[in-house]
Amino acid sequence: MERCNVKYPGEDQRSRLTIVLRDKDGNEKKNVYRRLWKDFHGNDGIADKMMLFTEFPPDAQGAGFMRWGYTAASGRTADQWVYLPVLKKIRRVSIRDPGDSFLGSDLTYADIGDRSLDADKHQLTRTMPNGNEQIYAVESIPLNKGNNLYSKTISWFTKGQDWDGCMKRQIDYYDKKGEPIKQQIIKWQRVGKAWVWDEVTVRNVQTGHSSVFQVTDVKVNVGLSDDEFTERALTTGQ
């Protein structure tokens, strides 16, 4: 889990994020964002900061979203702001429930937040050969069941000849009753020494709704300044 669960994402990133939402009937909704992200390494309790500027659909162009994520040790929920160009106003958005949907997708705020490995009990449950690789399945059960969305998750990892290429490829989520609720499939891309999402599909097996995240035009370690993650930057789109 220490070597494979979290990979080096770079110090910062510029990219384009496309999110496609599909309901059980196949109806689609697409949003495209210009994305800025920076790792703050836990300084002042801040894990990372992210900005999203809407490029599509056209009627939402210029809208902005900023998120400051905090470390699990800080005990703080993320701070979020949205900028609506029609109103020319910034609104602070509180996270009332960690189980709320992130940008309307099948990932929750809890899913994308910082979670300590020590918050769960991990057990290797399966090992399978796959050509020149090994596949590992790790079951993670929360130690504090009362404050968690899931009764457990199962993470699937692939490992080649060395640990550098060991990656998390799939996560199976189980609801509080122990029933499968959703599955996340992850494809990665290597940019320099960093590992970045390429395409991620999350499907809720109970509702049939799915979300596809596509990350393109990735640039890593471009030297983003702290000033690019402020309310002023949110209004100017810089």
Side-chain angles (χ1 to χ4, degrees):
M1 292 296 289
E2 290 176 350
R3 293 184 175 186
C4 306
N5 190 55
V6 177
K7 307 301 289 186
Y8 174 64
E11 298 303 307
D12 57 44
Q13 299 174 11
R14 287 185 186 271
S15 62
R16 180 165 283 105
L17 172 65
T18 301
I19 302 177
V20 179
L21 308 177
R22 297 189 182 99
D23 65 20
K24 63 179 181 179
D25 299 319
N27 300 309
E28 288 191 359
K29 177 183 178 182
K30 183 171 82 169
N31 293 279
V32 182
Y33 306 93
R34 181 165 54 88
R35 177 179 178 268
L36 306 179
W37 173 88
K38 184 174 180 178
D39 192 343
F40 279 74
H41 299 286
N43 293 326
D44 296 324
I46 301 173
D48 56 19
K49 295 182 182 181
M50 179 180 69
M51 300 278 273
L52 297 174
F53 298 102
T54 304
E55 296 184 337
F56 183 89
D59 60 1
Q61 278 186 355
F65 172 83
M66 179 167 66
R67 180 180 189 274
W68 291 15
Y70 297 98
T71 62
S74 74
R76 297 178 61 181
T77 57
D79 287 325
Q80 300 184 148
W81 299 261
V82 295
Y83 172 67
L84 303 174
V86 174
L87 302 178
K88 296 184 178 179
K89 287 185 178 181
I90 292 176
R91 288 191 319 172
R92 189 159 182 164
V93 183
S94 62
I95 302 175
R96 294 182 175 84
D97 185 345
D100 287 346
S101 168
F102 173 68
L103 297 177
S105 76
D106 293 280
L107 289 179
T108 68
Y109 288 105
D111 297 336
I112 66 170
D114 183 68
R115 184 175 180 82
S116 170
L117 285 180
D118 295 335
D120 302 310
K121 177 183 178 182
H122 308 284
Q123 182 177 356
L124 180 66
T125 60
R126 200 168 177 186
T127 303
M128 299 178 293
N130 182 34
N132 295 324
E133 295 181 328
Q134 289 285 329
I135 298 176
Y136 300 99
V138 178
E139 180 184 75
S140 301
I141 298 177
L143 295 177
N144 184 354
K145 294 181 172 57
N147 294 328
N148 284 275
L149 299 176
Y150 313 111
S151 60
K152 67 177 180 180
T153 61
I154 297 178
S155 300
W156 297 82
F157 301 91
T158 59
K159 176 183 173 293
Q161 307 228 336
D162 56 59
W163 286 104
D164 182 57
C166 182
M167 307 298 299
K168 181 190 288 184
R169 302 290 187 176
Q170 179 176 318
I171 310 172
D172 300 330
Y173 299 83
Y174 293 79
D175 65 19
K176 290 188 176 182
K177 295 180 180 179
E179 298 295 326
I181 182 171
K182 63 186 177 185
Q183 185 178 75
Q184 180 177 356
I185 306 294
I186 309 169
K187 295 180 181 178
W188 296 89
Q189 54 183 309
R190 187 80 180 259
V191 183
K193 294 182 179 180
W195 291 97
V196 183
W197 277 4
D198 183 3
E199 182 174 287
V200 174
T201 301
V202 186
R203 182 175 180 272
N204 188 310
V205 299
Q206 296 182 358
T207 66
H209 192 276
S210 65
S211 310
V212 179
F213 300 79
Q214 298 168 329
V215 182
T216 56
D217 304 329
V218 182
K219 294 180 175 60
V220 172
N221 296 338
V222 296
L224 296 179
S225 72
D226 293 357
D227 292 339
E228 295 183 75
F229 299 89
T230 61
E231 290 189 21
R232 181 182 179 280
L234 189 62
T235 61
T236 60
Q238 299 298 320

